[in-house]
Amino acid sequence: MSESHNHEDHDGNNVPAPRGEGGEVIGVRRGMFGADNGGDTSGYGGLVRTVALPGAASRPYGGWFDEVADELEGALEEQDLLPANAIEKTVVDRGELTFHIAREHLVQVARTLRDDPALRFELCTGVSGVHYPGDKGRELHAVHHLRSITHGRLIRLEVSAPDSDPHVPSLVPVYPTNDWHERETYDFFGLVFDGHPALTRIMMPDDWQGFPQRKDYPLGGIAVEYKGAQIPAPDQRRSYS
């Protein structure tokens, strides 16, 4: 998440953050921990933080970023898929390249990135979940980290889904090592990876309620002992193969 930080000086004026006001503003937080009931005892109660996602970049992106973007768009066109329908925006931020992909085209884009000789992103090192409650209609994000061993490059694919429909396609058919990463992201964020071979919890007990890394997950008031957590005998354990 990208956050630009402001604080109030002694005259009550906000001092702008070094990164400016660019990007898509999705919320404002006050205080160190976002407490709004007087519970912030950190001494930073006057801190004002504007939560902003990086905006779309414009060409030229710089370096090899343009080469990858051109090749990806050309390869999609060869498959009769308009790049603008698949790539919602291209972000260059902090020296990193991220393609925001429409979820219905994620598998095709990933397969293209893997198989095209000029791209050859052979490895997905995992998928991370992110929850932005203020990003209305796309509160849940899944960020896939792709590496090209052939060309020595690293990019990211990001897809979003609303809280009310938390479904994104599984990339296990394209990158089999995503199996465990998608289960972890499902376990903690509630993102449902359609097409996953065995989408079950991997960290929390099977009967756990809720998704602990969502921003709206309640803090405290949960028993320390895991509900229903047991380790069955080896011959009774579930098989995922």
Side-chain angles (χ1 to χ4, degrees):
M1 179 178 64
S2 172
E3 293 187 354
S4 58
H5 298 269
N6 300 333
H7 71 274
E8 295 183 0
D9 61 18
H10 294 296
D11 296 325
N13 298 316
N14 285 337
V15 178
R19 295 193 68 213
E21 297 298 332
E24 301 177 51
V25 176
I26 61 172
V28 176
R29 295 179 184 171
R30 297 179 180 274
M32 179 63 75
F33 305 108
D36 56 6
N37 57 359
D40 188 348
T41 60
S42 66
Y44 289 90
L47 185 69
V48 180
R49 296 180 291 165
T50 301
V51 183
L53 304 181
S58 57
R59 290 180 182 270
Y61 303 138
W64 54 265
F65 291 177
D66 291 280
E67 180 184 342
V68 169
D70 290 342
E71 184 62 34
L72 175 59
E73 292 176 6
L76 294 177
E77 288 176 344
E78 291 175 359
Q79 301 171 56
D80 296 322
L81 175 58
L82 289 175
N85 291 340
I87 304 172
E88 296 176 337
K89 69 175 178 177
T90 301
V91 172
V92 177
D93 186 57
R94 294 179 171 89
E96 297 178 329
L97 176 64
T98 303
F99 294 108
H100 288 249
I101 306 299
R103 54 180 171 172
E104 62 269 23
H105 297 301
L106 176 62
V107 174
Q108 184 175 354
V109 170
R111 186 172 285 114
T112 301
L113 286 164
R114 184 194 67 181
D115 294 344
D116 189 286
L119 296 169
R120 198 64 79 191
F121 285 89
E122 309 98 332
L123 179 64
C124 181
T125 60
V127 55
S128 305
V130 193
H131 187 211
Y132 298 109
D135 195 12
K136 300 304 181 184
R138 52 181 190 182
E139 292 87 355
L140 293 167
H141 292 233
V143 185
H144 302 80
H145 310 269
L146 306 186
R147 181 174 294 278
S148 171
I149 300 173
T150 298
H151 302 292
R153 295 167 174 173
L154 179 66
I155 65 172
R156 293 183 295 190
L157 298 182
E158 187 164 342
V159 294
S160 61
D163 274 338
S164 59
D165 181 27
H167 290 262
V168 298
S170 170
L171 285 189
V172 171
V174 183
Y175 297 108
T177 53
N178 256 33
D179 189 336
W180 300 91
H181 297 283
E182 290 181 5
R183 285 183 58 200
E184 183 177 33
T185 303
Y186 160 72
D187 195 357
F188 286 154
F189 289 91
L191 274 160
V192 179
F193 292 90
D194 295 329
H196 189 283
L199 192 63
T200 56
R201 290 192 182 271
I202 191 172
M203 303 291 284
M204 308 303 290
D206 290 340
D207 57 358
W208 193 263
Q209 299 297 311
F211 305 102
Q213 289 192 353
R214 286 196 185 187
K215 297 289 179 61
D216 54 6
Y217 188 76
L219 300 178
I222 299 173
V224 174
E225 182 179 351
Y226 282 136
K227 177 181 172 184
Q230 299 179 10
I231 301 177
D235 60 342
Q236 298 174 355
R237 294 176 189 167
R238 230 171 4 190
S239 174
Y240 298 101
S241 59

